[in-house]
Amino acid sequence: MQITSTAVSLTVDDVPASAAFLTGHFGFQEVMATEGFASLVREDALNVIFLKRGIEVLPEGVRDQHAAGVITAFTVADLDAEYERLRGEGVAITMPLREEPWGERLFQVTDPNGVILQLVAWASPGNE
């Protein structure tokens, strides 16, 4: 098997709001969008797809579920700078900057649909 790209699909109520959040604050580009669907890419990150809750492409048993219990994490080079940049852009920080006992430094923001985005860096080099 040769994998040529990877994406995560997240089910939300307002696809344009989540797409605008990632394009406006995280540098993603919208490459395809239609009613109930948006595909976003970044050269250095996992592709993100937003699907409108209830859309028929989803399996019937999960069609009406909202993206919950999922954290999309991005490892970044300068966590402190990203924290300040996002705060400066008015993005609500929903989990303040912290360091975990295993050496991970992180903070979280939440998009307009409740999708949790976590930015991460490692406190100790070599743990990436």
Side-chain angles (χ1 to χ4, degrees):
M1 170 176 33
Q2 179 181 358
I3 297 174
T4 59
S5 68
T6 305
V8 61
S9 293
L10 302 168
T11 307
V12 298
D13 288 321
D14 186 345
V15 169
S18 284
F21 191 82
L22 277 188
T23 59
H25 298 295
F26 285 81
F28 279 79
Q29 294 180 341
E30 190 174 88
V31 292
M32 190 181 311
T34 188
E35 181 68 31
F37 170 86
S39 177
L40 301 128
V41 300
R42 244 188 93 114
E43 191 173 303
D44 58 353
L46 176 78
N47 296 342
V48 177
I49 296 169
F50 290 111
L51 297 171
K52 182 162 179 57
R53 198 162 57 102
I55 197 166
E56 290 184 8
V57 71
L58 295 167
E60 191 173 335
V62 298
R63 208 171 275 168
D64 291 319
Q65 293 180 5
H66 180 273
V70 174
I71 297 173
T72 302
F74 302 111
T75 302
V76 297
D78 190 341
L79 188 67
D80 296 306
E82 295 302 330
Y83 184 81
E84 292 305 322
R85 179 186 65 79
L86 289 167
R87 283 184 57 202
E89 291 175 2
V91 174
I93 307 296
T94 50
M95 177 186 283
L97 189 58
R98 60 192 274 170
E99 186 171 328
E100 299 296 347
W102 51 86
E104 183 181 41
R105 294 183 67 233
L106 61 94
F107 70 93
Q108 294 176 352
V109 300
T110 304
D111 91 342
N113 282 290
V115 175
I116 300 169
L117 303 167
Q118 179 172 289
L119 281 79
V120 178
W122 292 97
S124 306
N127 290 335
E128 298 177 42

